[in-house]
Amino acid sequence: AGVDPHRVIPVVLDVGTNNEKLLNDPAYIGNRHARVTGKVYDEFIDAYVAAVKKLFPQAVLHWEDFGATNARRILERHRDHVPTFNDDMQGTGAIVLAGLLNAVKLNKTPWTEQRVVIFGAGTAGCGIADQIRDQMVRSGLTVEEAVARIWLVDLPGLLTAELKDELLDFQRPYAKSQAEVAGFAKANAPVSIEAKTRWPAMVAAQVTANANGGIIALATVVEQVKPTILIGTSTVPGAFTEEIIKSMASHVDHPIVFPLSNPTLLHEATPQNLINWTDGKVFVATGAPFDDVVYKGVRYHIGQANNAALYPGMGFGAIVSRASKITDEMIFAAVQAVASQAVLGIPGASLLPSNADLRSTSSVVALEVLRTAQQQKLARIEEPASDVEYVRQAAWWPEYVTVEGV
């Protein structure tokens, strides 16, 4: 994005591991103790942030690959007193929203009338839900009205209020009441090994639900909710079946379907199948790279919702503006900047800019983040004569020395 690599410090925080094999491996170089949690963990993170602020007071903190139970808490704890950003929570949701802005523009149904089903209710899925909720609110809905139009499904089925304490704090606002799911058919779905590993508490609740009539599966949710938008962050290959997609397409003219799980082998559906099953009417973006699809003479360019199109440019914008914090408004400015770089004028056009254009896209993102930081009085620099020139001059470019043989 133009960030000087000599001014980037990669940091690994070692809080131990619960992997017994690693703990007993003589070659393992990490800390040999069980994974730290609770107050001790939070105090360790606090100490790290304090050290960063002391040593590098203008640094931007970018968090990556923190688990669902920690990521949001850490971000909320520190975001108001240090410029910080969690890519899994905010970056995924932001780049997906950029693609959705263009898809919604093309299907000509206002945000206030969208109905959204997200399959995969972890950090990424809920981060996407939050971005969609905020966009619906910007479009005129109340927070409550927006949340009511978003449905989260995971391996234990639709998230409902029955799950109670098994829900993570950021899942609870989206859990549906019994009144909202009245009449939804339930099924005695088997408990998968993956579900037992990822959601042990929810699996226990699922077993109870099965005994009381079963869970509400993805296919049922799609049939009942009639979503205009279907998003996958489940890592369950083939979860978006032909039956589910055709059910969705029977209720909307142009379904928006984003199978985002990656790598490629984990995708919920292939673009080829989605286009075939909807007779070319689907608007699709994926999390992994896919080749173009040709259907009935139209070449469909498949946009990749890759965080790399957004977070480097946003980070660069925060750096050049010396922003005191990274706000939701700055993130949305980055979203709009990415969306603006897609060329939508032809049938089959990609909903997102090509990854081949990351450098130019990142420059536009950085510029809009800088401008938003200035508008919010969060930029700690003197206002430049030209924002465009300021960003251009701040950008780092590699200079390769010519090597000549002797």
Side-chain angles (χ1 to χ4, degrees):
V3 179
D4 184 344
H6 302 95
R7 301 184 69 180
V8 176
I9 302 177
V11 177
V12 177
L13 302 179
D14 187 350
V15 296
T17 178
N18 293 334
N19 186 318
E20 194 69 26
K21 183 178 179 181
L22 292 177
L23 288 172
N24 290 284
D25 183 348
Y28 182 59
I29 62 173
N31 285 330
R32 291 179 183 272
H33 57 68
R35 190 170 176 82
V36 173
T37 59
K39 182 181 178 182
V40 175
Y41 177 93
D42 286 346
E43 289 175 346
F44 174 59
I45 299 296
D46 289 348
Y48 167 68
V49 173
V52 169
K53 290 178 67 177
K54 179 180 179 180
L55 296 171
F56 310 104
Q58 296 176 3
V60 173
L61 274 173
H62 172 127
W63 306 90
E64 184 79 30
D65 288 342
F66 279 69
T69 58
N70 293 321
R72 187 171 299 246
R73 187 180 71 259
I74 291 171
L75 181 68
E76 295 302 329
R77 191 178 180 97
H78 297 290
R79 68 178 305 185
D80 286 334
H81 60 86
V82 62
T84 188
F85 173 75
N86 184 292
D87 183 45
D88 300 301
M89 269 181 53
Q90 298 167 293
T92 301
I95 191 63
V96 171
L97 182 59
L100 290 176
L101 287 180
N102 286 332
V104 168
K105 183 188 299 183
L106 291 171
N107 82 355
K108 299 179 181 178
T109 301
W111 275 99
T112 53
E113 297 179 21
Q114 300 296 330
R115 299 178 301 279
V116 184
V117 171
I118 300 174
F119 183 46
T123 303
C126 289
I128 293 168
D130 290 347
Q131 293 281 352
I132 292 172
R133 175 204 62 202
D134 292 347
Q135 178 59 20
M136 288 179 170
V137 171
R138 280 189 288 266
S139 300
L141 296 183
T142 65
V143 171
E144 293 75 17
E145 289 170 336
V147 168
R149 304 186 76 86
I150 301 171
W151 302 69
L152 299 185
V153 184
D154 211 282
L155 298 176
L158 177 68
L159 300 194
T160 64
E162 283 181 306
L163 293 170
K164 298 179 181 176
D165 294 339
E166 285 75 28
L167 294 170
L168 299 172
D169 58 348
F170 54 82
Q171 295 170 330
R172 290 194 183 101
Y174 299 100
K176 301 305 179 185
S177 67
Q178 284 303 300
E180 291 174 288
V181 299
F184 282 38
K186 295 185 177 181
N188 285 311
V191 180
S192 69
I193 294 175
E194 184 177 6
K196 291 178 181 177
T197 302
R198 289 179 57 192
W199 302 104
M202 281 194 185
V203 164
Q206 178 182 346
V207 172
T208 302
N210 284 345
N212 295 326
I215 67 169
I216 301 173
L218 175 63
T220 299
V221 175
V222 171
E223 180 60 33
Q224 293 289 333
V225 173
K226 300 176 177 55
T228 56
I229 298 172
L230 176 62
I231 293 171
T233 55
S234 67
T235 68
V236 179
F240 294 169
T241 63
E242 182 175 2
E243 176 188 10
I244 287 174
I245 297 303
K246 286 189 172 180
S247 170
M248 181 182 180
S250 69
H251 301 298
V252 294
D253 291 335
H254 290 284
I256 300 170
V257 183
F258 285 15
L260 299 175
S261 293
N262 59 71
T264 307
L265 59 87
L266 298 179
H267 56 254
E268 288 83 5
T270 65
Q272 179 75 67
N273 282 339
L274 293 174
I275 291 168
N276 290 345
W277 295 338
T278 62
D279 194 27
K281 296 178 181 178
V282 70
F283 293 127
V284 60
T286 59
F290 280 90
D291 293 334
D292 295 350
V293 175
V294 177
Y295 180 80
K296 292 187 176 180
V298 176
R299 179 173 293 276
Y300 293 82
H301 302 278
I302 310 303
Q304 185 185 358
N306 188 319
N307 301 8
L310 188 139
Y311 74 77
M314 194 184 71
F316 186 44
I319 290 168
V320 297
S321 66
R322 295 187 183 174
S324 58
K325 62 180 179 179
I326 296 176
T327 63
D328 291 339
E329 290 79 8
M330 291 162 69
I331 295 172
F332 186 59
V335 168
Q336 292 177 298
V338 171
S340 72
Q341 297 306 291
V343 181
L344 304 176
I346 60 173
S350 171
L351 298 174
L352 290 159
S354 169
N355 284 344
D357 300 323
L358 282 180
R359 191 63 194 255
S360 58
T361 300
S362 294
S363 296
V364 176
V365 170
L367 178 62
E368 294 307 315
V369 170
L370 165 65
R371 288 172 172 170
T372 304
Q374 291 171 323
Q375 291 165 6
Q376 294 190 286
K377 309 298 184 186
L378 296 174
R380 293 176 290 184
I381 58 170
E382 293 185 13
E383 190 160 331
S386 167
D387 292 342
V388 173
E389 185 63 15
Y390 180 73
V391 170
R392 189 192 71 80
Q393 290 188 1
W396 179 89
W397 288 91
E399 294 182 6
Y400 297 101
V401 177
T402 302
V403 178
E404 297 181 358
V406 293

